[in-house]
Amino acid sequence: MRLPRIFGTSSFRLALMYAGLTGFTFLLLFAMIFWSTTRFMRHQIDDSVASEISEVITDGQSGEAEGLRALVQGMARHPSGFYYLLQDAHGQVLAGNLPATEARTGVREWGRPHDAAREPFAGIRGQGVTVSGDYLFVGWSTYQLREMEEFVAKSFLWVLGASILLALVGGLLMSRRLMKKIEIISRTTRNIMEGDLQQRVASHSTGDEFDHLALSINSMLDRIEMLMNGLRQVTTDIAHDLRTPLTRLRNRLELAQRSHLGEASLRGTLVEACRETDVILHLFGALLRIAQLESGARRAAFTVVNLSEVLGTVAEVYRPTAEAKQQHLEEAVAPNLTVFGDRDLLTQLFANLVENAILHSPCGTNLGVRATHVEAQILVYVTDTGPGIPEAMRDRVLARFVRLDGSRTTPGSGLGLSLVSAIAQLHDATLRLTGNDPGLSVCVSFAPA
């Protein structure tokens, strides 16, 4: 893995940003420590100098000039860490171990004095006062202060350099690790693009963001594989289901073309041809409707729907059809059940279920439409006591063109339950097919509005 690629990764740029942020944070910390430490040491020097000046003035015979001069001269001969200067109003040095300077009162600093060779220091910090017309200055070497400032500055530079270096090294290592994981995902996607839909991104079960990404990608790939398999199946089933009506249509038209039919016979042939064409158009219309529902295009028109009214209407419309087949349709729907959805689509969903139950159940069958509110769900059941659906086929019949009649000799396109499944998915509802002992029970579970 080449280093230039690592340098161009977002993780390395993020590491650089963190390194810069770390450096800026250390700079602020250094400034605060440097200022606090030097300020404390200067206060210490100023307090010591002020105390020494007070003692010198007190011991100098209450400020008399000759006594103060002798005291300062004696203290200057015996080094104690302090520096002294006593000069008259004309700038003439009277006593001490410092050269003459401007008679400025208050705290002050100056550079290296004339006898600095006896001690390595950078300068003097002290305080000057006026005593009986003379100028007295007492100071202390700032050598330790400068040493401390230099030590803090050097320490800061070392720590700053080490932290930035560690941040950069960490960024390189992290970028290398991320690029390895990303390369695994890229390699998998390239294999899939080449046609191997069985490939999946490896998951290490660490629970990190790459595992979440791998699970999402694998779920997407599972969905794509399912759709591709479904597309192949749909293509095959469309060819199979359309071949019969198209063949009949062509045979009738060809027979009409070759035969010398009268007007009545020709009209009958055209009626049959139109009927076959309607079957084909109905098939394509159902496919387009399922595709529209699966795209979620109708979700924008959702409103609060009284599901109790929808179920009551469906039961009322199909009761005469059931009675004509000597079937008994029972309705038990709780009042005021509301869901968020499309009223027309929900009507079509339950109409398809009731119509399937009537169509595929023999005479004398008991049918039922029940709905109730259980905990945080609205459960709707459409049941029958007919032959039912084998357990192995209950999931398959929801796919397009899947029919229990494998020979396809009975009317139907195998799209009714597919349309029901698409409408349920659009409404985030759960569709379950279970046995009714005997017969079939279809349960649709909604979230209440």
Side-chain angles (χ1 to χ4, degrees):
M1 194 170 298
R2 297 177 299 173
L3 287 180
R5 285 187 62 193
I6 295 178
F7 291 150
T9 60
S10 58
S11 58
F12 185 76
R13 289 195 294 268
L14 186 63
L16 284 179
M17 184 185 71
Y18 277 122
L21 182 61
T22 301
F24 180 72
T25 304
F26 270 106
L27 181 61
L28 292 180
L29 182 61
F30 164 74
M32 183 182 68
I33 294 175
F34 189 85
W35 177 80
S36 300
T37 306
T38 55
R39 182 171 178 268
F40 173 76
M41 294 190 67
R42 284 187 170 89
H43 276 302
Q44 289 289 94
I45 294 174
D46 294 343
D47 290 343
S48 299
V49 168
S51 178
E52 182 69 12
I53 288 177
S54 179
E55 291 182 9
V56 169
I57 294 175
T58 301
D59 295 341
Q61 298 181 358
S62 302
E64 295 180 3
E66 291 299 327
L68 182 61
R69 182 185 305 175
L71 177 63
V72 171
Q73 192 63 36
M75 297 179 74
R77 290 174 182 173
H78 300 85
S80 60
F82 288 102
Y83 288 84
Y84 303 91
L85 170 64
L86 181 64
Q87 66 183 32
D88 60 17
H90 301 290
Q92 182 68 33
V93 177
L94 302 177
N97 53 5
L98 290 175
T101 185
E102 180 184 357
R104 191 170 61 195
T105 61
V107 177
R108 59 180 296 189
E109 288 189 25
W110 72 43
R112 186 183 299 274
H114 68 285
D115 60 345
R118 70 188 180 96
E119 182 181 354
F121 58 82
I124 292 177
R125 179 180 178 87
Q127 182 177 355
V129 296
T130 301
V131 182
S132 301
D134 293 334
Y135 177 71
L136 173 64
F137 177 85
V138 178
W140 185 271
S141 172
T142 57
Y143 172 74
Q144 292 181 342
L145 176 62
R146 305 306 177 199
E147 283 287 302
M148 185 277 301
E149 291 176 344
E150 184 178 352
F151 172 77
V152 173
K154 287 182 178 179
S155 300
F156 163 74
L157 291 176
W158 278 106
V159 173
L160 177 63
S163 62
I164 292 178
L165 180 61
L166 288 175
L168 294 178
V169 172
L172 285 172
L173 295 177
M174 184 172 62
S175 299
R176 187 179 181 88
R177 178 174 175 268
L178 292 178
M179 289 186 67
K180 285 183 178 179
K181 291 192 173 184
I182 292 174
E183 181 60 29
I184 292 174
I185 298 176
S186 300
R187 190 185 310 119
T188 303
T189 55
R190 287 194 296 269
N191 292 336
I192 294 171
M193 290 171 59
E194 292 173 359
D196 187 3
L197 294 179
Q198 301 297 324
Q199 287 281 335
R200 294 295 181 269
V201 179
S203 175
H204 301 286
S205 301
T206 58
D208 60 7
E209 60 276 10
F210 282 98
D211 269 358
H212 288 294
L213 178 62
L215 291 175
S216 298
I217 292 177
N218 290 340
S219 297
M220 178 188 67
L221 294 175
D222 290 340
R223 176 67 174 167
I224 291 175
E225 184 180 12
M226 183 186 70
L227 292 175
M228 292 297 295
N229 292 334
L231 180 61
R232 295 190 188 99
Q233 184 64 37
V234 166
T235 303
T236 302
D237 291 337
I238 286 178
H240 192 281
D241 277 38
L242 288 183
R243 182 171 58 185
T244 300
L246 286 176
T247 300
R248 288 199 300 264
L249 177 61
R250 185 182 186 283
N251 289 338
R252 285 193 175 95
L253 294 177
E254 185 177 5
L255 180 62
Q257 180 183 14
R258 293 180 178 181
S259 303
H260 299 285
L261 300 177
E263 182 179 351
S265 299
L266 183 61
R267 186 178 299 275
T269 301
L270 293 176
V271 169
E272 291 296 326
C274 289
R275 186 177 296 114
E276 295 291 344
T277 305
D278 289 339
V279 170
I280 297 171
L281 292 176
H282 175 74
L283 182 64
F284 280 110
L287 288 171
L288 291 175
R289 191 169 181 80
I290 292 173
Q292 182 188 34
L293 292 173
E294 290 179 343
S295 69
R298 296 285 295 268
R299 196 183 294 272
F302 277 14
T303 58
V304 176
V305 178
N306 190 325
L307 195 60
S308 300
E309 294 181 359
V310 171
L311 295 172
T313 301
V314 170
E316 182 180 353
V317 169
Y318 281 94
R319 185 170 285 112
T321 305
E323 291 174 352
K325 203 174 177 182
Q326 298 178 0
Q327 296 170 342
H328 176 66
L329 177 59
E330 180 182 358
E331 176 189 353
V333 179
N336 299 322
L337 299 177
T338 57
V339 298
F340 193 67
D342 186 301
R343 186 183 184 89
D344 293 338
L345 292 179
L346 291 173
T347 301
Q348 184 169 12
L349 185 155
F350 293 109
N352 279 17
L353 291 177
V354 174
E355 185 175 353
N356 272 358
I358 294 174
L359 179 63
H360 298 290
S361 297
C363 297
T365 301
N366 292 322
L367 312 176
V369 176
R370 297 184 291 107
T372 183
H373 195 164
V374 178
E375 295 180 352
Q377 292 182 320
I378 294 177
L379 302 179
V380 182
Y381 295 90
V382 177
T383 61
D384 64 69
T385 57
I389 297 177
E391 185 175 356
M393 291 290 295
R394 287 172 189 166
D395 290 332
R396 289 192 57 201
V397 293
L398 299 178
R400 300 174 191 177
F401 296 110
V402 175
R403 298 168 58 183
L404 295 180
D405 179 14
S407 62
R408 301 178 183 264
T409 57
T410 58
S413 61
L415 294 175
L417 288 179
S418 298
L419 188 58
V420 167
S421 178
I423 296 174
Q425 289 180 12
L426 183 68
H427 288 80
D428 295 326
T430 303
L431 181 66
R432 298 193 307 272
L433 277 65
T434 58
N436 194 37
D437 297 325
L440 180 70
S441 174
V442 180
C443 176
V444 188
S445 174
F446 296 90

